């Protein structure tokens, strides 16, 4: 394969897809993983139709064997991974009395544990090469808890601490670890449905109130090209009208 390789873990239909298309446009070979790899076929076809190179994988980021297998397959068959972007979500609302042990564990696995597996496996390959980038997608919940989001906040704040620890350990080894805080409602079908259920019409919002997934992709593209004398660990993004 020509061009550097990026692996996007959690390549969903919005932010993940936007990141994939941005990196493909920039000349990267784009490897993408999600639990149902078949769902990546339209995105792979779109990238290839525009002259890019993309490969989809079935990857359960919560399963250690699955993570290790996909990393090895890419390294063996495609080439050395330059950048890993962990973009798995888990943003669900459960009042504390409705949060079962199973729910809490599953949300934590998606938001935090799977990030550990992905970050550790990336480091296994990057440390010997003494280069690479490992980026994590965070949320408002990474910075503060909120009513109904105990599980999600615990998971995302844990992911942030993981990323910070990795950045301090791996930075001197020439590996850039960064954490992106998305402090916003992103313009997705999921967010629009939640707004509608709450009695708000998302189509009446002022322009740029919801964050465009392509804006997130551009932020990651910026992180990718930072020189190591001025690496960013944490980059927070929010729309102009967001209260914080």
């Amino acid at each position: 394969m020509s061009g550097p390789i990026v692996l996007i873990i959690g390549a969903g239909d919005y932010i993940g897809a936007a990141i994939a298309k941005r990196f493909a446009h920039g000349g990267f070979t784009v490897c993408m993983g999600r639990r149902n790899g078949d769902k990546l076929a339209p995105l792979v076809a779109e990238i290839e139709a525009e002259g890019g190179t993309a490969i989809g994988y079935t990857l359960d980021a919560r399963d250690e064997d699955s993570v290790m297998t996909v990393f090895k397959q890419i390294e063996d068959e495609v080439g050395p991974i330059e950048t890993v972007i962990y973009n798995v979500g888990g943003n669900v609302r459960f009042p504390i009395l409705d949060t079962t042990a199973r729910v809490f564990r599953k949300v934590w696995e998606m938001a935090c544990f799977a990030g550990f597996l992905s970050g550790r496996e990336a480091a296994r390959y990057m440390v010997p090469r003494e280069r690479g980038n490992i980026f994590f997608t965070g949320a408002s919940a990474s910075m503060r808890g909120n009513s109904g989001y105990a599980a999600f906040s615990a998971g995302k704040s844990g992911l942030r601490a993981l990323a910070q620890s990795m950045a301090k350990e791996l930075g001197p080894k020439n590996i850039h670890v960064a954490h992106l805080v998305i402090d916003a409602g992103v313009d997705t079908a999921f967010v629009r449905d939640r707004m509608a259920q709450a009695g708000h019409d998302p189509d009446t919002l002022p322009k740029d109130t919801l964050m465009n997934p392509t804006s997130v992709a551009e932020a990651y593209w910026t992180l990718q090209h930072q020189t190591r004398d001025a690496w960013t660990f944490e980059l927070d993004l929010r729309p102009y009208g967001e209260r914080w």
Side-chain angles (χ1 to χ4, degrees), residues 162-242:
L162 165 75
Q164 190 174 72
S165 296
M166 288 181 59
K168 292 180 178 183
E169 180 177 346
L170 300 179
K173 302 179 188 298
N174 198 37
I175 297 169
H176 184 190
V177 180
H179 179 253
L180 190 68
V181 179
I182 302 178
D183 188 16
V186 180
D187 195 357
T188 67
F190 174 73
V191 170
R192 286 177 170 270
D193 287 345
R194 282 179 52 180
M195 292 184 65
Q197 291 171 12
H200 306 293
D201 183 357
D203 291 329
T204 64
L205 292 173
K207 183 181 178 181
D208 298 328
T209 300
L210 295 177
M211 185 179 292
N212 192 317
T214 60
S215 299
V216 181
E218 286 297 333
Y220 274 125
W221 188 245
T222 297
L223 287 172
Q224 172 68 38
H225 290 88
Q226 288 184 327
T227 56
R228 65 178 182 175
D229 64 314
W231 274 347
T232 294
F233 164 66
E234 194 155 71
L235 186 64
D236 57 337
L237 306 180
R238 62 182 59 87
Y240 72 100
E242 185 77 14

Side-chain angles (χ1 to χ4, degrees), residues 128-160:
R129 292 195 286 259
E130 296 185 340
R131 72 177 191 276
N133 306 287
I134 306 171
F135 301 148
F136 296 94
T137 299
S140 307
S142 305
M143 311 300 293
R144 57 188 179 274
N146 207 345
S147 174
Y149 292 93
F152 185 59
S153 298
K156 279 297 184 182
S157 61
L159 182 71
R160 179 177 184 257

Side-chain angles (χ1 to χ4, degrees), residues 23-115:
F23 275 70
H25 180 72
F28 275 70
T29 292
V30 178
C31 297
M32 302 172 288
R34 62 186 292 177
R35 274 184 293 176
N36 187 340
D38 293 341
K39 291 184 177 180
L40 290 167
L43 179 56
V44 169
E46 181 180 352
I47 290 172
E48 291 180 340
E50 295 179 358
T53 303
I55 309 168
Y57 298 87
T58 295
L59 170 62
D60 184 348
R62 300 171 299 166
D63 182 82
E64 185 173 30
D65 289 341
S66 179
V67 172
M68 294 176 68
T69 296
V70 170
F71 267 88
K72 187 176 189 306
Q73 186 175 354
I74 295 171
E75 289 278 336
D76 290 347
E77 300 176 4
V78 185
I81 302 169
E82 177 172 320
T83 300
V84 170
I85 299 176
Y86 181 77
N87 185 58
V88 175
N91 184 4
V92 291
R93 184 180 188 278
F94 281 93
I96 193 64
L97 296 182
D98 296 332
T99 303
T100 64
R102 180 179 180 276
V103 164
F104 190 95
R105 186 178 296 109
K106 183 176 180 180
V107 173
W108 170 77
E109 284 180 344
M110 293 172 64
C112 184
F113 178 66

